[in-house]
Amino acid sequence: MATKSLKKLGNNLAQSNKQLEILSNGIFKSGKLPTFKDKISETSQFPIKAKKLEILQINVGYMCNQVCDHCHVDAGPDRKEIMTRDTMRQCLEVIKNSGAHTLDLTGGAPEMNPDFRWFVEEASKVGITDFIVRSNLTIIRANKKYYDLPEFFKKHNVHVVSSMPHWTRGKTDKQRGDGVFDKSIKALQELNAVGYGMPGSDLRLDLVYNPSGAFLPGDQVAMEKDFKKALMDDFGIEFHNLFAITNLPIARFLDYLIASENYEDYMYSLVEAYNPAAVENVMCTNTLSISWDGYLFDCDFNQMLELPVNSKSRHISEFNEELLEGRNIVISQHCYGCTAGAGSSCQGVVA
């Protein structure tokens, strides 16, 4: 397991332009595989257009207590990019005045932002229908100051979406680090104890599965059944839904693919699994991603590749919903990850 981010290590793949070079050259430049633009043009789906804004996904910082092998954010304890309260205030104005019904806070570990609780308290007053916090679970057990997070989430009716690579210790710790599984189980039990994930409860607790290697996720419905049975039988844990998310070939997962000599095979798998039906509902069409410093992107993945929205409205300070609606979505070859099989998004399958 890595203990430092690619950025801290000085790895070339910490640079978005180096990642984009790899995704644009080689098998795509030679014509062995079609570019994503050419592929969606075959079914007259280019350009992909933004629809009505429904989800605001806000990345409040890249700092995290973990350094996971598959992380597309390249998050870790050494990342110091943190959203300020001033930028949060600008986000709150957009939340109040936009047509979005879902607020989705992510990171890093969003809970590590020193203004996280203030932001949650203020945002919960706005009247958002679905208020999501993406938690890695272990943060709840990382330090005494986080031990009350389950109660804090409950107080503000936060929808907790938690990373859980597998129901076994071996596969989880392989992807996320030694001891992660046991801490995650403890955190889930504590969330259950305050009512999260229980049958009939309005306190939503969903889990996210990412494959631990160079392969695509299996059937989401079947995996959910397996997760539910195993976690209940072994630990008495309840949760509502499982989201199966495809690993996109950027940042640390791209580094893993290249180091393990799986990059070309993985890209072939993504292209061969391409599903035109998934293109219709890709998350970038109804979601706007906001970076820690307030810049706007079509999705969290484009944020990490520094591919800004194709609009005159590029920063939260100049947010204009009319200008953003109907914009052309910025694409590259990583987009195959969201259109393979049943599709993939931060809310699971899309087709």
Side-chain angles (χ1 to χ4, degrees):
M1 280 296 302
T3 56
K4 296 179 181 179
S5 67
L6 296 178
K7 184 177 181 180
K8 183 71 172 179
L9 292 169
N11 189 308
N12 274 343
L13 288 180
Q15 302 172 46
S16 58
N17 63 319
K18 297 297 184 183
Q19 298 178 55
L20 288 166
E21 279 179 23
I22 291 169
L23 291 168
S24 299
N25 292 314
I27 48 180
F28 292 102
K29 190 172 184 179
S30 69
K32 288 182 179 178
L33 289 177
T35 64
F36 188 71
K37 177 183 176 181
D38 288 344
K39 193 69 174 176
I40 63 174
S41 294
E42 291 174 8
T43 47
S44 302
Q45 291 173 297
F46 178 83
I48 299 174
K49 293 275 191 181
K51 303 170 188 174
K52 181 176 173 56
L53 179 63
E54 297 181 47
I55 302 169
L56 279 172
Q57 187 172 66
I58 302 177
N59 193 310
V60 297
Y62 302 160
M63 185 179 290
C64 188
N65 61 309
Q66 296 180 177
V67 186
C68 301
D69 283 346
H70 71 291
C71 184
H72 72 276
V73 180
D74 189 29
D78 55 59
R79 297 301 297 267
K80 306 305 180 188
E81 299 92 336
I82 291 288
M83 182 175 281
T84 64
R85 190 174 289 202
D86 283 343
T87 303
M88 287 178 174
R89 286 194 179 98
Q90 292 176 323
C91 290
L92 285 169
E93 285 304 307
V94 169
I95 295 164
K96 290 175 187 174
N97 299 311
S98 77
H101 57 66
T102 297
L103 176 60
D104 188 340
L105 299 188
T106 186
E111 302 93 334
M112 293 183 77
N113 184 303
D115 289 316
F116 169 76
R117 295 193 189 222
W118 174 85
F119 192 33
V120 170
E121 287 166 358
E122 293 301 311
S124 65
K125 300 173 186 175
V126 177
I128 285 286
T129 305
D130 190 11
F131 189 172
I132 297 169
V133 170
R134 294 186 182 270
S135 178
N136 65 20
L137 290 177
T138 63
I139 191 67
I140 295 173
R141 303 302 307 163
N143 186 293
K144 287 182 180 179
K145 67 181 179 181
Y146 300 121
Y147 285 1
D148 68 332
L149 278 171
E151 289 287 356
F152 177 78
F153 291 150
K154 179 180 180 178
K155 179 181 177 182
H156 298 287
N157 198 30
V158 166
H159 173 182
V160 179
V161 177
S162 300
S163 307
M164 193 70 186
H166 206 257
W167 62 81
T168 61
R169 181 177 290 102
K171 289 189 176 181
T172 298
D173 286 0
K174 179 185 176 185
Q175 184 185 105
R176 297 191 158 247
D178 291 343
V180 165
F181 181 78
D182 290 340
K183 290 175 185 174
S184 298
I185 292 297
K186 177 67 174 170
L188 286 171
Q189 289 170 335
E190 291 177 355
L191 286 164
N192 276 175
V194 300
Y196 271 97
M198 305 306 287
S201 173
D202 291 333
L203 295 171
R204 302 291 303 174
L205 174 61
D206 296 323
L207 303 185
V208 172
Y209 161 84
N210 292 82
S212 57
F215 52 90
L216 306 186
D219 178 72
Q220 181 170 284
V221 174
M223 280 197 297
E224 181 177 290
K225 289 178 181 177
D226 290 341
F227 265 77
K228 280 182 177 284
K229 185 177 188 308
L231 290 177
M232 173 51 69
D233 290 351
D234 295 343
F235 306 103
I237 288 171
E238 302 258 20
F239 67 93
H240 288 119
N241 296 114
L242 178 80
F243 301 148
I245 298 182
T246 301
N247 288 319
L248 267 66
I250 65 175
R252 261 185 234 143
F253 190 66
L254 178 59
D255 182 56
Y256 157 77
L257 289 173
I258 293 169
S260 61
E261 299 183 347
N262 280 303
Y263 170 69
E264 288 197 5
D265 286 345
Y266 190 72
M267 297 311 296
Y268 270 96
S269 295
L270 290 181
V271 175
E272 287 167 3
Y274 170 77
N275 179 4
V279 179
E280 294 300 316
N281 297 308
V282 282
M283 65 180 179
C284 52
T285 59
N286 70 347
T287 300
L288 194 64
S289 171
I290 304 170
S291 65
W292 66 273
D293 50 356
Y295 286 92
L296 309 181
F297 300 85
D298 295 316
C299 68
D300 202 44
F301 304 111
N302 278 10
Q303 181 186 146
M304 301 313 147
L305 290 170
E306 298 181 278
L307 296 171
V309 289
N310 184 12
S311 170
K312 290 180 180 178
S313 177
R314 287 194 165 199
H315 191 270
I316 196 70
S317 61
E318 54 190 28
F319 180 86
N320 185 312
E321 195 164 354
E322 286 185 15
L323 285 177
L324 290 162
E325 190 169 331
R327 72 187 183 279
N328 290 348
I329 300 298
V330 179
I331 59 173
S332 184
Q333 282 51 262
H334 65 290
C335 300
Y336 274 117
C338 291
T339 58
S344 180
S345 77
C346 290
Q347 281 75 40
V349 299
V350 298

